[in-house]
Each structure stands twice: as structure tokens, then as C-alpha cells.
Amino acid sequence: MRDPYDVLGVKRGADAAEIKSAFRKQAKKLHPDANKQDPTAASKFAELNAAYEILGEEDKRKAFDRGEIDAEGKPRFQGFEGFGAGAGPGGSAQAGTGFGRDGGFHSFTWSTDGTQQTAGGFEDILREAFGGGAGAAGRRGGARRRQPFAFEQEEFGPEPTGGDLTASVTISLNEAANGTKRRVHLPTGKEVEVKIPAGLADGKQIRLKGQGIPGPGGAGDVLITVHIAQHPYFKVEDGNNLRLELPITLYEAVLGGKVRVPTLSGAVELNVPAGTNSGRTFRLKGKGLPGDNKTHGDLLATIRVVLPDGKDADLEELMQKWRETKPYDPRKDLA
């Protein structure tokens, strides 16, 4: 993570009011709700919040300036108890780390009168840095937890929840029919596993509650938009129905016969009656996509008569004879 002073855009000598003002200004600008079209807004806002977690709290800021914690709020090792710790010049408080009486790893400071004051366990510091609450630090040292978004009540109303994160995933039509699982990368770099139920329509969203950006009023959500990749010959229409253009030969159209039809669950046979014209549609019940209440849509197979490739002398001779002896006009009803 970048230096929190650089993230907030303030100098190292800035006072608390300047830091708070800079955070408030940046938060209005970078909040994901105000930048829904910017895919980087969520990560920028998370970085801003983490920076204010450090500089907005006096003790953490001093600890960062002394090099005791890093830009993410994680403690740097300062040595065991008794080494390099104690009151500095002028009686200023100093900090260190070591093993406490309970055997745990603790950070601590000394006040100007030389008494040791435990600031919190190693886990407490991590928990605070990542928004997990005051924890044991608050119980032992009475430290007040600063809310991550220190906005005034009258300016912003109730404590805001964290921002939502958005992402998208593309699946195949077969996966849409049967359901699947996918791992999705979020704008913050986090990766989540998404369970996609069977029959989910293209463009629908899956909401993962509480997995968005954390905030004082609760974490936001993750919204995953599911897209279905185009299939080479099936098209989705009318919700859960599928449409297929089914090519047949000229002799199958004239004489009729059984034709194999592909479906998402395997090929089936369709009985094509003799004298079937192009454009006639056959409905194969239950061969579409799954829907509500364990129902399935249908497969609509539209006939397309296909002539053989290349020129065929016998076919041409037959058609010439037909034209002379059995003429007919399929366009007679057209204006």
C-alpha cells in the first residue's frame, strides 16, 4: 500500500483537522456509489479508508511516524521487552513489543512517569487495522475505536454502509442449463467463488451479501452480472425456450423421414412429415432451459430446406420437367 500521507494528499506536518478535511473531500469524490462506471473506484476508496485508519487516529499516526507500524497498520517487530524501550528525550512516550505475562505477543507504550501501558495484543492491532473492532485492546487499555468513516451526522445522516462491488462473469449455454461454479476476481483484488444456479437468464445478477467494502453501518454487497456466451446454433428466446434452425435435405422435405435434432441434453429424433416446407416450426417439449418450479422451456426447431452443394444435372433436369408439366405459384397470395 502507498504511504497514507500520499493517499490523503497531506504533508507530514498536517494537523488533525487538515487530515480529516482531506479525507472527507476525497471520500465524497471516490465513494463507489458516486463512481458506478469507474471499475477502479472500489479499490481507491478502500485504500483511502485504510490511509485514514492510520492518520486519523493519533496513536496510530505516531506509531506510523516512528516506524512501528507499516502503511497497512501492521506492526513492525521492535525487539523483545527490555531492548530499545523506555522514555525518550524529554520524557516522551516510547513504544515497543514483547511477550506479556499471559504469554501473548503484545505492543506497549511507556507514559512520561515510566509506567508501562499495554496498548493491545498483536491480533488486536491487526483486527483494528482491518476494521474488525476494538477487541482486546479496548478491554485492556480502554482505547476508543474510531469509526472508519468519521463523517458528521448532520452532513451525511446515518452511518453509511460500505460501497458495493460489481463484477461480471461469462458462462456457456450448457453451464446456464446445468448450473456451475466460478471464481470471480473483484476490483479490490479479492477472489470469490460464485454458485450460478441452473436456468439463470442472461444479464441477471447474483448478490453476495456483506462481501463488499466495509463501513461503519455494515459492509456493502458484491453484485455479479452473469452473461451467457452465444451458442453456435441455439438461441434463447421467450425466457427459457430455445430456438434452432434445423437444416434438412430436399428429399427429406418431399418424402418425409426421421431427422436427428441436437439438444442440450443429447440428440433426439424428430419425425418430419412428407411435404414439409421451409419455415415450419416443430416444438420439442421440455428440451429448453430449466425454469421455476423445476419446469423446462421448449426447443423450437424451424425447418430450413437445403439444396446439395454444386450443380446437379439430374436435379436440374427434374426441375425443368416439373416447371413445364406441374407449374405452381407460391407467391400468388402476395400483393
Side-chain angles (χ1 to χ4, degrees), residues 33 36 161-169 184 186 192-197 200 203-213 219-226:
D33 288 347
K36 295 182 179 180
T161 58
D164 292 339
L165 295 174
T166 59
S168 63
V169 62
V184 180
L186 303 180
V192 295
E193 185 172 81
V194 182
K195 183 179 180 181
I196 301 173
L200 191 69
K204 292 293 185 179
Q205 287 187 325
I206 296 175
R207 181 183 295 269
L208 305 179
K209 297 287 291 184
Q211 296 197 39
I213 300 174
D221 302 333
V222 172
L223 301 175
I224 309 292
T225 302
V226 179

Side-chain angles (χ1 to χ4, degrees), residues 53 60 72-75 120-140 145-146 148:
E53 279 286 331
K60 286 186 179 180
E72 295 181 359
K74 297 178 181 179
F122 183 74
E123 294 180 355
D124 296 332
I125 296 174
L126 286 179
R127 191 178 296 113
E128 287 185 13
F130 288 95
R139 293 191 297 272
R140 286 193 298 268
R145 180 190 176 195
R146 182 187 58 74

Side-chain angles (χ1 to χ4, degrees), residues 231-253:
H231 196 275
Y233 40 86
F234 291 122
K235 290 184 179 180
V236 182
E237 65 174 41
D238 299 330
N240 298 320
N241 290 336
L242 295 176
R243 184 172 289 276
L244 166 70
E245 192 174 74
L246 181 64
I248 65 173
T249 65
L250 178 60
Y251 52 82
E252 286 172 331

Side-chain angles (χ1 to χ4, degrees), residues 24 27 35 54 223 257 307 317:
R24 186 183 300 134
N35 298 273
I54 301 295
L223 301 175
L307 296 178
E317 182 180 354

